[in-house]
Amino acid sequence: MEKNIALLLVSVVVCSSFPAAQFPTTTTSLAPRPFKYAFASGRVPGGKPDRYTQSEGDANGVIRGGYAYLDPNNEWQKVEYVADDNGFHVDSSALPIANPVAHPRDTYAVAKAKANHENLYQRIALTNSKVQVAPNALHRQLQHTAAVSSN
C-alpha cells in the first residue's frame, strides 16, 4: 500500500514538471470572409436524403441559411435564419402561427363585470382627484406645539 502511494506521488511530481500543452486559439481578428456551402444527408447510408442544409456568409459578417428535415410525422419542416448586427432571426415552419380570428370573446357576464369595474375605477379616480389637502393647517399646528414654541 505504501509502495502504491509513493509511486502515485512520484508520478504526480513528474507529470507536473512537464510544461502544459499550449493550443493555438481559433479566435481571429481578421475580417469575415464570404463563404457558401450546402449538403444533404439521409438516415441510411446510400439512402434517400431526408435533411438538407445550406448557409452563406458575406464580407460584412452577415450569415443567411436554413435547413429542412423530415419530422417523425413524415412532414417536411423548414427553418431559415439570418444572423446580423441586429441579432439572430429565425423563421420556422415548426413554430405555431397566431390566429387573430380565434381570440376568445367576452361573455355577457364578463363584459358586464369589466364595465362595472371601469365605472368604479373612474368614480374612485374622480373622488381622489377632488381631495383637498390643506398644507398650511398642518404647518400652523406644528408651530403652536410646546416643543416648537420653546425653541
Side-chain angles (χ1 to χ4, degrees):
M1 178 73 174
E2 292 175 4
K3 191 175 185 180
N4 289 339
I5 293 174
L7 183 59
L8 178 64
L9 289 174
V10 169
S11 299
V12 170
V13 170
V14 169
C15 289
S16 63
S17 66
F18 292 120
Q22 297 293 323
F23 296 102
T25 181
T26 57
T27 306
T28 64
S29 59
L30 300 174
R33 294 189 320 212
F35 68 90
K36 187 173 188 175
Y37 70 86
F39 66 88
S41 63
R43 296 177 194 188
V44 179
K48 188 175 178 182
D50 61 358
R51 58 199 81 177
Y52 299 88
T53 301
Q54 57 89 24
S55 186
E56 63 181 271
D58 62 18
N60 298 321
V62 176
I63 299 173
R64 291 173 172 44
Y67 56 92
Y69 62 94
L70 195 58
D71 72 8
N73 296 324
N74 210 26
E75 294 180 17
W76 283 100
Q77 301 296 334
K78 184 176 181 181
V79 177
E80 293 180 343
Y81 58 86
V82 175
D84 57 15
D85 291 337
N86 297 322
F88 188 77
H89 315 282
V90 177
D91 181 26
S92 172
S93 63
L95 294 175
I97 299 172
N99 185 351
V101 180
H103 294 293
R105 294 185 356 198
D106 292 340
T107 62
Y108 174 75
V110 170
K112 184 177 175 182
K114 283 182 176 179
N116 188 31
H117 174 77
E118 180 65 25
N119 183 24
L120 288 172
Y121 179 82
Q122 292 300 333
R123 286 179 28 209
I124 291 169
L126 182 62
T127 302
N128 288 334
S129 68
K130 293 181 180 180
V131 174
Q132 296 294 325
V133 178
N136 292 337
L138 181 60
H139 182 66
R140 274 185 260 123
Q141 182 184 4
L142 290 176
Q143 288 178 344
H144 297 298
T145 63
V148 173
S149 58
S150 67
N151 286 336

